[in-house]
């Protein structure tokens, strides 16, 4: 495969699509007016229309109205706005209780921790070995003072897809707002906000070959929400700051480019890498559910080996992967997701997350497993972690 | 001037520079790895280095260290992070008093209002006819419970440049943190954070032909700051969320492209439009200080005429301008800046903000004033606001 780098990291999805780039280009150089002005000049009005078109396209992906789609700087901001926004709007009026799952990604999880420090009570739902929450536990925890349930659509590390329809239904029955973080499912797995009864949905562009620095939050009409970002009255008064029109336009284009066929191909690569690894490498565990998972992710533990060692060895072959929790790779702490699904430190540290994107191919999958086989064998031979492979 | 639109609106500065675009391009398509991983693959480490280079370049523009430069999604976020971040970190520990000027831009002003609702006491400093704060008033207002003074470097509408060195010195003497919003001065007027004794400085890319969706906050080492955006541990744990490396790289390039010669040319256009207007059109007032103003802005009131009418008529000639407060053009409320400098509604509504950027020329200035002369004359002839022009 020569000099080319094979990205099976989250960067697999962060490469901008050329068609997205072309779409953004016209906003950079031709239609770059500020959208704010309603009484202003023609170009400003045109800019507003361009922004509305992007908003409409993205809202349509969720079965939502354009006025319910709020642009943010990314999924991190969307998650923060959902949690802190509802807390700010309802904390004094209705109650200070919030429920999240233990395996939420950091924007939601750490927003919850911040709110806890500010006097909110947060329940962190357990998950089973696959990462599913327990509906019975959720039901029991909802009380009169519960203002928000936030459970992700799919997990960022192990790819497990929750049954958000069931969760949404329960929340609606109990009159509690429901936020779901759909960063890893948007356009990959269909979501209809009305079928799901979601009040808030976090989406992001950089996970579907769109630009970084732009994301969205679906906000159901009438949802009480305090601003996270004060400024002007942009985004239906939910988020101040000059509109990032090139970003919005690129985001909408990225969403339009995803096809069901592409999602099937991503899933085929995911299934193939899993099959091949299980065929050729002993002592491995698939993390997450075998079927109910996002198409673009496989997460596998190679027992008795450090994930960091695997990463470094694959790197020598020009293969870019991350250990289980990509965001956490910076620290050496074990992934909170792996610990929550009942893994021990050994299982957590030996896990590798393979992410697939539009620019990956089945050939790459074969090449990667071939190299993996050798690497794991060698690492196990010298492993201080105990048992050798193949025993 | 044919079909070409002359932007003398804030869009004059928001057009991306082609060189910025080229710099971003390589991050979109070649070096698009995620910077988060420290123990990861080579491309991730390279991404971190690219990000550090951008950070270093921008920090250098302020005489700061790279670790003091935090990337945000723009000046709106930076202003929110500065005010709410200090409030969150020091509110319980030191006090709940904040001082801002009455003419801050909305991110700072509305963050202050939000904090007021949360139990903080905010003093809004008066300004004189030019927009300068009163140092005596500031001095009197600082008390034992004051945690932050936020006074902008230059005003977004009238362009007046405050003496932030004096303000910073006073704040340092009184042991109060000082934030300045330098959205409209960054690279246009030199700032040295150590000379100015600033603890927090807001900067933005979109005001200097950089991309939208990226900004920065200088955070002096050791400044207590609560996160606005929870997530991972990015940005020295001041701001979670995946790093927008193309944005950061574009921002740094945009900053490097600004030259002292360019700033002189912007200033020459500003002085020329003012001279010509005063020469040819009666009953006009220059808003802001004649000398102590940013190079790229002129703000002029055409008495007895509505700003919106001027905007619409200039639009017919392909000239794009905004009324005094571009961000407020959406509402018909009078600009808070114009009211604070002692203007009445008539003066506020008749004001036009001319902004100049790299792609404007002296020829355009002549063309615009020529058209303006006719438009104002016609509008005054039919004006319901009283006196005709030329009397």
């Amino acid at each position: 495969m020569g000099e080319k780098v094979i990205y099976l990291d989250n960067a697999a999805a962060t490469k901008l699509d050329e068609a997205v780039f072309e779409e953004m280009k016209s906003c950079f150089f031709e239609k770059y007016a500020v959208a704010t002005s309603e009484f202003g000049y023609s170009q400003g009005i045109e800019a507003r229309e361009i922004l509305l078109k992007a908003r409409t396209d993205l809202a349509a992906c969720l079965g939502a109205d354009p006025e319910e789609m709020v642009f943010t700087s990314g999924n991190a901001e969307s998650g923060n706005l959902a949690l802190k926004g509802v807390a700010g709007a309802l904390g004094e009026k209705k109650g200070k209780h919030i429920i999240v799952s233990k395996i939420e990604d950091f924007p939601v999880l750490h927003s919850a921790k911040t709110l806890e420090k500010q006097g909110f009570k947060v329940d962190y739902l357990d998950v089973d070995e696959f990462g599913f929450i327990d509906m019975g536990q959720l039901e029991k925890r909802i009380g009169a003072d519960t203002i928000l349930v936030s459970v992700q659509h799919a997990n960022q590390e192990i790819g497990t897809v929750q049954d958000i329809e069931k969760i949404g239904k329960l929340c609606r029955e109990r009159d509690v707002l429901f936020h779901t973080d759909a960063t890893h499912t948007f356009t990959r797995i269909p979501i209809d906000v009305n079928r799901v009864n979601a009040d808030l949905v976090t989406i992001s562009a950089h996970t579907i070959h769109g630009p970084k620095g732009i994301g969205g939050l679906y906000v159901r009409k009438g949802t009480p929400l305090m601003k996270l970002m004060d400024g002007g009255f942009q985004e239906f008064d939910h988020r101040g700051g000059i509109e990032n029109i090139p970003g919005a336009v690129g985001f909408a284009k990225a969403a339009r480019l995803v096809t069901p066929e592409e999602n099937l191909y991503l899933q085929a690569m995911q299934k193939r890498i899993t099959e091949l690894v299980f065929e050729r490498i002993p002592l491995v565990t698939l993390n997450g559910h075998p079927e109910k998972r996002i198409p673009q992710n496989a997460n596998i533990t190679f027992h008795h080996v450090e994930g960091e060692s695997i990463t470094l060895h694959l790197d020598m072959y020009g293969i870019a992967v991350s250990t289980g929790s990509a965001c956490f790779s910076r620290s050496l702490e074990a992934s909170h997701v792996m610990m929550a699904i009942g893994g021990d430190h050994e299982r957590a540290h030996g896990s590798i997350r393979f992410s697939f994107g539009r620019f990956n191919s089945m050939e790459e999958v074969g090449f990667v497993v071939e190299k993996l086989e050798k690497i794991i064998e060698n690492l196990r031979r010298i492993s201080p972690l105990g048992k050798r492979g193949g025993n």
Side-chain angles (χ1 to χ4, degrees), chain A:
Chain A
M1 299 258 158
E3 291 294 301
K4 199 185 148 232
V5 177
I6 300 176
Y7 286 95
L8 292 179
D9 176 61
N10 43 8
T14 60
K15 184 176 181 181
L16 201 69
D17 193 291
E18 297 244 6
V20 170
F21 182 72
E22 286 305 318
E23 199 93 355
M24 291 169 76
K25 213 168 152 180
S26 72
C27 293
F28 284 140
F29 297 119
E30 290 154 43
K31 294 164 188 216
Y32 53 91
V34 178
T36 314
S37 179
E38 212 161 69
F39 306 102
Y41 51 85
S42 325
Q43 291 74 27
I45 293 161
E46 194 187 2
R48 285 175 61 84
E49 281 160 10
I50 292 169
L51 187 63
L52 177 62
K53 166 86 169 67
R55 203 186 294 285
T56 306
D57 286 358
L58 287 164
C61 296
L62 296 172
D65 289 339
E67 316 84 73
E68 297 178 312
M69 181 54 64
V70 171
F71 285 113
T72 68
S73 65
N75 58 307
E77 185 183 332
S78 300
N80 276 266
L81 175 55
L83 268 79
K84 295 173 185 172
V86 169
L90 291 182
E92 297 301 325
K93 279 185 202 158
K94 192 186 168 195
K96 296 204 161 194
H97 182 231
I98 287 168
I99 302 172
V100 305
S101 89
K102 275 190 181 163
I103 61 170
E104 295 300 307
D105 206 350
F106 293 131
V108 168
L109 198 66
H110 291 167
S111 290
K113 300 249 182 231
T114 294
L115 289 170
E116 237 179 332
K117 281 185 211 144
Q118 293 169 0
F120 284 79
K121 207 183 122 241
V122 181
D123 269 314
Y124 299 90
L125 299 174
D126 297 319
V127 293
D128 66 15
E129 57 178 313
F130 298 118
F132 293 117
I133 65 156
D134 176 345
M135 287 300 295
Q137 191 189 30
L138 172 58
E139 199 163 355
K140 264 182 273 170
R141 296 286 168 84
I142 296 178
D145 58 343
T146 309
I147 52 173
L148 179 72
V149 170
S150 185
V151 175
Q152 59 191 190
H153 192 194
N155 187 266
Q156 61 286 356
E157 294 179 33
I158 58 172
T160 300
V161 179
Q162 303 283 343
D163 188 345
I164 54 171
E165 206 172 324
K166 253 193 201 155
I167 303 170
K169 191 165 171 276
L170 176 63
C171 290
R172 182 59 53 93
E173 283 164 9
R174 304 287 295 269
D175 200 25
V176 172
L177 294 175
F178 174 44
H179 167 244
T180 190
D181 178 354
T183 302
H184 299 281
T185 54
F186 182 62
T187 72
R188 301 280 176 217
I189 294 179
I191 308 171
D192 182 303
V193 288
N194 293 316
R195 231 177 67 129
V196 166
N197 285 308
D199 301 293
L200 299 149
V201 180
T202 284
I203 61 175
S204 188
H206 79 265
T207 43
I208 51 168
H209 306 290
K212 289 186 189 104
I214 187 95
L217 182 66
Y218 160 77
V219 181
R220 183 178 292 280
K221 248 167 253 157
T223 303
L225 200 69
M226 202 181 89
K227 266 182 180 175
L228 182 69
M229 204 83 81
D230 282 301
F233 305 104
Q234 294 92 346
E235 300 299 321
F236 314 108
D237 206 17
H238 286 312
R239 202 259 188 198
I242 190 172
E243 294 98 340
N244 178 0
I245 301 183
V249 162
F251 189 3
K253 179 69 179 178
R256 290 196 303 269
L257 287 175
V258 177
T259 61
E261 293 71 34
E262 172 171 297
N263 289 333
L264 284 174
Y265 191 69
L266 296 179
Q267 193 183 38
M269 288 191 282
Q270 175 232 113
K271 287 195 175 295
R272 185 79 185 132
I273 203 165
T274 308
E275 273 169 24
L276 284 177
V277 163
F278 272 75
E279 221 175 272
R280 303 211 198 148
I281 305 176
L283 293 171
V284 293
T285 304
L286 175 69
N287 300 309
H289 194 273
E291 295 302 326
K292 291 175 180 169
R293 59 188 309 131
I294 45 174
Q296 73 272 27
N297 162 294
N299 186 312
I300 298 172
T301 294
F302 299 87
H303 293 279
H304 314 308
V305 189
E306 286 279 353
E308 277 73 30
S309 305
I310 305 174
T311 303
L312 290 173
H313 281 81
L314 283 174
D315 185 43
M316 289 189 247
Y317 293 108
I319 300 165
V321 298
S322 281
T323 49
S325 164
C327 295
F328 232 21
S329 289
R330 190 171 295 183
S331 104
L332 280 173
E333 249 180 84
S335 144
H336 70 290
V337 177
M338 293 297 292
M339 298 310 279
I341 61 170
D344 51 16
H345 276 77
E346 192 265 340
R347 179 167 161 201
H349 280 303
S351 86
I352 295 288
R353 179 169 88 154
F354 301 96
S355 298
F356 299 95
R358 184 169 301 152
F359 307 109
N360 293 120
S361 69
M362 209 55 95
E363 290 68 43
E364 290 177 348
V365 169
F367 178 78
V368 169
V369 176
E370 189 187 300
K371 298 302 170 201
L372 256 177
E373 197 182 348
K374 282 184 210 157
I375 290 166
I376 301 296
E377 206 188 313
N378 285 335
L379 286 174
R380 281 183 178 155
R381 199 169 297 138
I382 57 163
S383 167
L385 291 174
K387 275 230 269 296
R388 282 183 193 177
N391 291 357

